[in-house]
Amino acid sequence: MPCALQLSIISHGLLSPVRWRKSRPVHAQSYPDSELSGVDEETTDDRILAEVEPRVILVERYRDGTSRRYMLCEDSRLRTSHEEPRSSSNASRGSDFSGSQLSWLPDPVKQFIFPAGFPESVSDDYLDYMLLQFPTNVTAWICHALVTSSLLKAVGVGSFSGSTAAASAAAIRWVSKDGIGAVGRLLIGGRFGNLFDDDPKQWRMYADFIGSAGSIFDLSTQLYPAYFLPLASLGNLAKAFARGLKDPSFRVIQNHFAISSNLGDVAAKEEVWEVAAQLLGLALGILILDTPGLVKSYPLLVLIWTSMRLLHLQLRYQSLSVLRFNTINLKRARILMEAHVMSSKVPGCDECNKRENILLWQRFLKPRINFGVSFEEMVDGSSSVLTPKELIWLYSKEKYILTVDQRSNDFEVLVAFKVGATSLSVLRSVWQAYWLHLNCSGPRDLPDHLRQSLLEMEKGFDDFMDQLEEADWDVHNMKLKVPAEILIDEIVAG
C-alpha cells in the first residue's frame, strides 16, 4: 500500500447544483509592504503554504490497526497518506483480547481461533474453558492413536506375520489419514466461522455436496488399492471439510428449533432420531451387501451408491426448504426490500423462506452489492460521478456511503461503512440499492437518483420496519454483519 497517492477528481457537468456549508476559501494572499517589513521571503512562503495545506476530510481505519487519511487539496485533488498503528493503539487492541493473557498472540492468530468480536461476543468463562478443553482433546486423540493398532490387530492385520509391526504400521497410516482430514476442519472453523449464523441452510447443503465428493474417493480405493492412503486421505479431507460446515450450521438450526431455551433437550432428541436412522440404514446396507453376487459386482455397487446419494441430496434439500427462519439475513433482506420497493408490501416469514434460494451465492444475486469497499474505490474517476465532498455531504446523516460503480457493465453498488454502523445500517443500504436498481435509468441521472433514493428511504423505511414487526420478523436480531476490514472513522466536511 503506497504511503501517498494522488487521485485527480474531475468535476462533472452533469451534477445539479448542491448547496454547501460555507467555508473560508484558501488562496495565496498578497500582503502589504508594511506587513512584510521584517519578514524574509522564506517566512512569507511558509505562511502561504500553511494557508493552502490540504484539509483532512475523512480517515479510513483497517482491521490491522493501520489507517489512511484522505486530504482534499485546493485544486480538488484528493491526496491520501498511510499511517502505521501507534504503540499505544497496539496496547489497547491487545487489551481487547482478554487483557495481557493473549497480548503476545498476533492479531491474525486471534482472528483465526476466536469468534468475531471476542471477548465481548462471548461469556466471561469462554477462554478458561477453551484453554482446558485443548489439552483434554489432545489426550483423547493420543488414546485414539494408541488403541487403533489393537483394533487393527484384532481384525487380522499383522496376524500372518506373527509380529505387531504390521499392525503398528497400519495404525500409523490410519491415524495419518485421520490427521489429514482434521486439517480440513481446522481450516473451515478458523477461516469461515463467522458465516454459519448468516445462512445455515446454504452451508448445511454445501456440506452434503462436499461429503459426497469425499465418498467418491473412498469408493475408488477398491479400484486402486495401491493408492489407498492418498485416496482415503483425500476422502477424509473432503469429509472433514463437510463436517466443518455441517456441525456449526446444524447447531444454528437446532438453536432455531429451541424456542423455549431448551437447546439441550432438542439436541438430545435429534440424536435419538439420527441414531434410529443410522441403525436402520446400517441394517439395510448389510442386507444389500449380503445379496449374492453384489459383492463381486463393483459397477452394480457404484450404481446403487450413486442412486442412494442422489436421493440423499434431494431429501436434504427438501428438509432444509421447510425451515422457516424469522431472522433477517442478506438473502431474505433482498427479498423483503424488493417487495417493499416495488409494492410497499412486506412478505411474511413463510413466503419469504419459500422464495429464498438455498444454493445460490450472494455474488450471483442481482443487483450486485459490494459491501465494505474503500473510499478510494468509490471516488475513483472511472467508478463515480460524484466528487468526494458531494458523497460526504450526501451521506452525512447515514452510517454508510453508497454509490453505483460506473466501471461495471451490470448494475453494481459500492457501499462503505462508517464507525458505529450496525445491522440496521446494512438494511438501509440494501433498501437504497434496490430503489436505485429499479428506478435508476442511467449514469447521466445518477446524482439526482442518489439524492431521490435517500429521500424515498426517509419516507418509506419506517413503514418497512413497522410491516416487519407486524409480520413477526425478528427485527432485534438481524443477521446482517458490518464488514470490519475497512471503516470510515471520522468525517470533517468543509
Side-chain angles (χ1 to χ4, degrees):
M1 186 178 293
C3 292
L5 176 65
Q6 290 189 353
L7 301 175
S8 297
I9 305 300
I10 303 173
S11 298
H12 296 268
L14 301 176
L15 298 178
S16 59
V18 180
R19 297 183 61 185
W20 307 100
R21 290 182 297 174
K22 291 184 178 181
S23 59
R24 183 174 62 86
V26 181
H27 298 291
Q29 301 181 11
S30 59
Y31 299 90
D33 293 341
S34 59
E35 188 176 343
L36 293 177
S37 59
V39 181
D40 56 20
E41 182 178 355
E42 182 177 355
T43 304
T44 304
D45 291 341
D46 290 340
R47 292 177 61 180
I48 296 174
L49 288 173
E51 292 289 338
V52 297
E53 183 178 355
R55 181 180 67 258
V56 176
I57 59 173
L58 64 85
V59 177
E60 238 174 28
R61 302 209 177 272
Y62 304 96
R63 186 192 289 271
D64 60 2
T66 60
S67 62
R68 171 178 285 191
R69 290 182 174 268
Y70 289 81
M71 296 164 286
L72 192 63
C73 302
E74 178 63 17
D75 56 0
S76 296
R77 287 182 305 166
L78 190 66
R79 197 173 72 188
T80 67
S81 64
H82 183 72
E83 296 182 354
E84 295 295 330
R86 298 177 182 177
S87 57
S88 59
S89 175
N90 284 339
S92 63
R93 285 166 59 85
S95 64
D96 290 340
F97 290 89
S98 194
S100 59
Q101 294 184 66
L102 300 172
S103 59
W104 55 274
L105 272 179
D107 284 350
V109 177
K110 296 172 186 174
Q111 295 165 12
F112 189 82
I113 65 177
F114 292 120
F118 177 86
E120 288 80 8
S121 62
V122 295
S123 60
D124 295 337
D125 51 1
Y126 173 83
L127 181 60
D128 293 334
Y129 175 80
M130 297 309 297
L131 290 177
L132 290 172
Q133 265 301 99
F134 184 78
T136 303
N137 291 331
V138 170
T139 54
W141 282 101
I142 291 175
C143 295
H144 169 75
L146 294 176
V147 302
T148 299
S149 62
S150 297
L151 291 173
L152 293 176
K153 186 175 181 181
V155 296
V157 178
S159 299
F160 297 104
S161 62
S163 164
T164 60
S168 298
I172 292 173
R173 296 176 65 188
W174 194 267
V175 171
S176 299
K177 173 181 70 70
D178 291 340
I180 294 175
V183 173
R185 295 172 57 198
L186 177 69
L187 296 176
I188 288 293
R191 178 64 182 84
F192 303 106
N194 61 341
L195 299 178
F196 303 111
D197 291 318
D198 302 341
D199 201 350
K201 292 192 284 187
Q202 182 187 63
W203 295 113
R204 184 62 187 89
M205 193 69 225
Y206 285 173
D208 268 13
F209 285 138
I210 298 175
S212 299
S215 296
I216 294 176
F217 288 108
D218 292 343
L219 202 62
S220 61
T221 55
Q222 183 175 338
L223 289 178
Y224 308 100
Y227 299 97
F228 170 82
L229 182 58
L231 289 174
S233 298
L234 287 174
N236 240 30
L237 181 62
K239 287 186 288 186
F241 269 109
R243 183 179 174 187
L245 295 174
K246 180 194 76 173
D247 290 349
S249 57
F250 188 65
R251 285 176 187 145
V252 176
I253 295 174
Q254 286 179 328
N255 191 59
H256 160 71
F257 294 143
I259 62 174
S260 301
S261 299
N262 56 340
L263 180 58
D265 192 18
V266 169
K269 294 306 184 287
E270 187 278 330
E271 192 76 11
V272 172
W273 284 73
E274 183 175 349
V275 171
Q278 178 182 2
L279 294 174
L280 180 59
L282 288 174
L284 293 175
I286 293 173
L287 182 63
I288 294 173
L289 290 174
D290 198 41
T291 302
L294 180 59
V295 177
K296 298 180 180 179
S297 177
Y298 181 75
L300 183 57
L301 178 66
V302 172
L303 178 62
I304 295 176
W305 177 87
T306 304
S307 302
M308 290 295 102
R309 202 65 194 180
L310 292 176
L311 178 60
H312 166 83
L313 293 174
Q314 181 183 1
L315 292 172
R316 177 71 68 196
Y317 182 84
Q318 291 178 350
S319 67
L320 295 173
S321 298
V322 302
L323 294 175
R324 298 291 181 263
F325 284 90
N326 69 335
T327 53
I328 301 175
N329 65 0
L330 192 53
K331 282 184 179 179
R332 292 187 281 275
R334 284 173 170 270
I335 297 172
L336 294 169
M337 294 304 179
E338 184 176 24
H340 189 262
V341 171
M342 292 182 65
S343 62
S344 298
K345 300 294 182 181
V346 170
C349 297
D350 290 348
E351 180 184 350
C352 188
N353 277 269
K354 288 179 181 178
R355 292 170 57 184
E356 182 182 3
N357 192 320
I358 297 176
L359 301 178
L360 197 61
W361 282 38
Q362 293 289 347
R363 67 180 63 183
F364 299 118
L365 296 175
K366 302 295 182 180
R368 184 171 180 181
I369 307 175
N370 287 334
F371 294 106
V373 302
S374 67
F375 189 72
E376 178 184 337
E377 184 177 354
M378 301 190 78
V379 300
D380 179 57
S382 60
S383 63
S384 176
V385 296
L386 294 175
T387 65
K389 288 180 65 176
E390 289 170 325
L391 278 175
I392 292 173
W393 177 84
L394 193 60
Y395 292 95
S396 59
K397 296 181 180 179
E398 298 291 340
K399 284 296 184 180
Y400 67 90
I401 298 176
L402 180 149
T403 189
V404 178
D405 192 352
Q406 299 302 300
R407 299 168 300 182
S408 176
N409 295 328
D410 297 327
F411 186 87
E412 186 172 345
V413 173
L414 305 177
V415 184
F417 290 100
K418 304 176 186 178
V419 171
T422 63
S423 296
L424 189 62
S425 309
V426 180
L427 198 64
R428 290 176 68 89
S429 69
V430 176
W431 196 101
Q432 186 184 3
Y434 267 86
W435 191 96
L436 289 169
H437 182 242
L438 294 173
N439 294 278
C440 189
S441 55
R444 182 175 299 274
D445 300 322
L446 179 58
D448 291 335
H449 280 129
L450 285 174
R451 299 184 188 96
Q452 186 64 29
S453 65
L454 288 171
L455 293 175
E456 294 294 333
M457 184 169 63
E458 285 300 316
K459 293 188 295 184
F461 194 78
D462 288 341
D463 173 69
F464 170 74
M465 295 299 295
D466 291 340
Q467 290 193 44
L468 288 181
E469 293 194 26
E470 291 175 3
D472 293 329
W473 287 100
D474 186 356
V475 297
H476 304 292
N477 186 28
M478 292 184 288
K479 306 300 182 181
L480 301 172
K481 294 181 180 178
V482 178
E485 287 75 15
I486 304 176
L487 290 174
I488 296 174
D489 188 28
E490 63 182 74
I491 295 180
V492 182

